[in-house]
Amino acid sequence: MPTYSAEWPVTTDGCDRKARITIPYLCSLLQETAVMHAENLGWGYTLLKEEGLQWVLSRQWLRMDRIPRWHESLRVETWPSGKSALTWNRDYRIFDENGGAIGAATSLWFVMDRESRRPKPAPFGNDMDLSGVEKVRENDLKALNQADGLERKSSVKAGYHDIDLHSHVNNVRYLKWMVDAVDPGFLDDKTLAELEINFLAEGFLGDELDVLTGGEEGIRDFSLKRRSDDTELCRMKASWI
């Protein structure tokens, strides 16, 4: 399976007040590179919409060895790295403008029926053998355990610009809302090194959501819940150095 790569600038709107790329912006670049590759393969939004289907991101892991800064550019390289009856894995490597490896990520996706909102086998790739494809992480992504002792730190309401072309809250918004619940001084002083995130349920326009978090210094657990029915939409474990 050939890889696909895209070059991206580190823009001002993608930086924090320390001029470092934000993790939500970086994850949006991973997502966009995956979308572009899927379209290039003929498995993207355009084809799936015609079939009444859409891709859904279920789990993601990211590790960064260095955080790029404003005025830099980076290259995201991605490829399908595995599949099962219902799920597909996609891996990434992140390089700086000099070609140095600065990060890696892996993700788990499935195809969903747009009406029933249920997983459905993908109508492609049945004859594809991905058994020998490179993986950036030795262990497969598993469901994160529900953390104990989390406390509500912030609340948000899903607005118009939080909704993507699938008519639900974009996954990067979940990440942004959870990280924004952390003390700004802590975020100034620390660098996010690794995160693992599970997307559990869809959020929609007007949803009122609570961010819960807790954990030890430098390692935090997060949960995002819809207030009206206490549905957990997302959970994450993240570490800073």
Side-chain angles (χ1 to χ4, degrees):
M1 170 58 63
T3 61
Y4 182 90
S5 64
E7 305 280 343
W8 301 100
V10 181
T11 59
T12 54
D13 65 323
C15 288
D16 63 15
R17 61 188 184 182
K18 297 288 189 177
R20 304 168 299 189
I21 194 171
T22 68
I23 297 303
Y25 180 68
L26 176 59
C27 286
S28 74
L29 299 184
L30 300 182
Q31 177 177 262
E32 284 306 303
T33 308
V35 167
M36 292 162 65
H37 192 200
E39 285 286 317
N40 183 265
L41 291 169
W43 307 343
Y45 173 82
T46 303
L47 172 67
L48 264 62
K49 186 177 182 182
E50 292 175 356
E51 300 288 334
L53 305 170
Q54 66 187 58
W55 281 111
V56 175
L57 179 59
S58 176
R59 300 171 188 168
Q60 183 163 292
W61 167 84
L62 169 69
R63 187 201 69 240
M64 293 301 295
D65 300 315
R66 184 179 76 79
I67 300 297
R69 303 176 64 84
W70 183 43
H71 287 315
E72 290 189 63
S73 61
L74 54 86
R75 177 169 60 88
V76 177
E77 186 176 278
T78 185
W79 62 95
S81 58
K83 65 184 179 72
S84 69
L86 286 176
T87 61
W88 286 74
N89 299 90
R90 175 174 284 278
D91 282 17
Y92 309 82
R93 289 200 185 279
I94 304 160
F95 301 89
D96 63 23
E97 57 196 6
N98 297 314
I102 58 173
T106 189
S107 54
L108 184 72
W109 303 72
F110 63 87
V111 171
M112 183 174 78
D113 186 281
R114 296 174 72 92
E115 289 194 10
S116 70
R117 317 306 283 182
R118 303 294 299 173
K120 190 172 182 178
F124 48 77
N126 293 327
D127 58 348
M128 182 178 298
D129 181 11
L130 297 175
S131 57
V133 173
E134 177 193 7
K135 294 179 178 291
V136 301
R137 173 173 149 147
E138 182 177 348
N139 300 322
D140 291 337
L141 293 175
K142 303 294 185 182
L144 290 172
N145 293 326
Q146 189 172 33
D148 296 324
L150 301 186
E151 298 180 355
R152 186 173 70 86
K153 291 297 183 181
S154 66
S155 299
V156 295
K157 184 175 181 178
Y160 182 86
H161 292 104
D162 298 316
I163 308 302
D164 64 19
L165 47 73
H166 295 305
S167 298
H168 63 197
V169 175
N170 186 269
N171 66 82
V172 175
R173 292 297 196 278
Y174 290 170
L175 174 59
K176 178 182 182 299
W177 290 334
M178 290 189 288
V179 175
D180 278 350
V182 178
D183 178 71
F186 177 88
L187 296 177
D188 275 346
D189 294 338
K190 301 290 186 179
T191 298
L192 194 143
E194 185 174 1
L195 67 82
E196 188 166 349
I197 187 167
N198 290 179
F199 300 99
L200 305 174
E202 295 180 276
F204 300 101
L205 181 66
D207 279 352
E208 295 182 342
L209 308 165
D210 291 326
V211 179
L212 297 88
T213 186
E216 302 175 0
E217 182 71 16
I219 303 175
R220 294 175 184 260
D221 293 291
F222 296 82
S223 177
L224 181 68
K225 291 188 175 183
R226 183 162 43 228
R227 191 177 303 168
S228 63
D229 58 8
D230 204 39
T231 296
E232 187 178 24
L233 305 188
C234 183
R235 67 180 60 155
M236 178 174 73
K237 180 178 288 289
S239 62
W240 283 262
I241 56 175

